[in-house]
Each structure stands twice: as structure tokens, then as C-alpha cells.
Amino acid sequence: MTYFPPVAFMWQRLAPLAMAVAVALALASTLPAAADESFEPLSGVAVEDASIVAARVGDTARLTMRIDNASGRKITLLGVRAEIADSGALIVAPPGVAKQEAQSFVLMDQETLDLASSHIGAELRGLRRPIHPGETVEFELIFAVGAVKAIAHAH
């Protein structure tokens, strides 16, 4: 014979869990969608020599740049985005290994991250318009503690 505990006893055991789930769902519903997220400007971080390759609508365009961290703290680069692209990604392509998406890059204070190297970089994916040589493209680097806007020159 199966024993079923009284409903009051079960509710006492499940009430805290039910409350935690309800609070988590309420908080999640108030968060903005990722595409609409805005970040505070991050001071002390400079983007230098940013360039992007010319590309067609729907293509992926590689962004190259150097990022100098003089913010006085360690920062974590989480991604890249631009209005002209559906998405952006940080990439890692060690020699002899297929290109992979990186979750983040960490920059120590006073460190420079060279995203123009052959094995790490950034991409804008799903271009909404073509990029022609000679034009400029605005983009934003997303860090865990803020964002930095920059302009890349197309070649």
C-alpha cells in the first residue's frame, strides 16, 4: 500500500521552493532582452587600429583591433555587437585547430589585447548591409563591467 503524506505536510516542505521559483521568474521577466541591453560606458579602455574586412549582406566580417586596458582593474571582454549585424562573436583559432567561439577574454590592468593576431579575434555575423572598402563601421565591445564604442575602418 502506498502512503501519501498529508497535504499540509507536503505544502510546508514545498512552499519555500515554490516561493523561490516564483521570485526567480518574476525577476527574470523584468530583465531586458539581450539585444536591447545597454551598458554603462567603461572608462580607461581604448580601442586602437580597428579595421573590418569588406563583406556582403548575410556574410561574417572579421574585426581586428588592439584593446588597451588602463582602467585600473582587471576586465573581462564578453562580446562585440553592431547595429549592422545580427550578432557578434569572439573567436579563437589556434594553429591546426578549427575556429571556435570564445566565451570571453580577460585583460589585466595595463595589458593590451591584440585581436589582430592570427589566433584570436572578433566577428560580426549576419550582416544586414554590405560593408564597402573605405567606409567606417560603428561597433561596441561588451565587457562584464561596461561597454566601449569604437569605429572600424573597412578595407
Side-chain angles (χ1 to χ4, degrees), residues 67-70 74-75 106-113:
I67 305 168
D68 294 324
N69 179 17
K74 177 177 79 172
I75 57 174
V106 175
L107 287 86
M108 302 306 288
D109 185 36
Q110 303 303 315
E111 184 175 35
T112 297
L113 179 63

Side-chain angles (χ1 to χ4, degrees), residues 121-145:
E123 296 177 339
L124 294 180
R125 298 175 173 174
L127 294 178
R128 297 177 184 154
R129 68 166 181 81
I131 299 173
H132 302 288
E135 74 175 285
T136 58
V137 173
E138 292 183 19
F139 66 96
E140 191 172 30
L141 296 174
I142 307 301
F143 294 87
V145 293

Side-chain angles (χ1 to χ4, degrees), residues 43-109:
S43 62
V45 177
V47 177
E48 298 178 354
D49 299 327
S51 65
I52 190 166
V53 296
R56 298 176 298 208
V57 171
D59 283 355
T60 294
R62 182 171 166 100
L63 268 169
T64 60
M65 72 200 86
R66 281 193 328 273
I67 305 168
D68 294 324
N69 179 17
S71 67
R73 60 184 164 175
K74 177 177 79 172
I75 57 174
T76 303
L77 177 61
L78 300 175
V80 59
R81 67 181 179 188
E83 288 185 11
I84 68 160
D86 290 336
S87 64
L90 303 175
I91 57 167
V92 177
V97 178
K99 176 176 72 173
Q100 301 172 5
E101 195 166 321
Q103 295 301 310
S104 63
F105 294 128
V106 175
L107 287 86
M108 302 306 288
D109 185 36

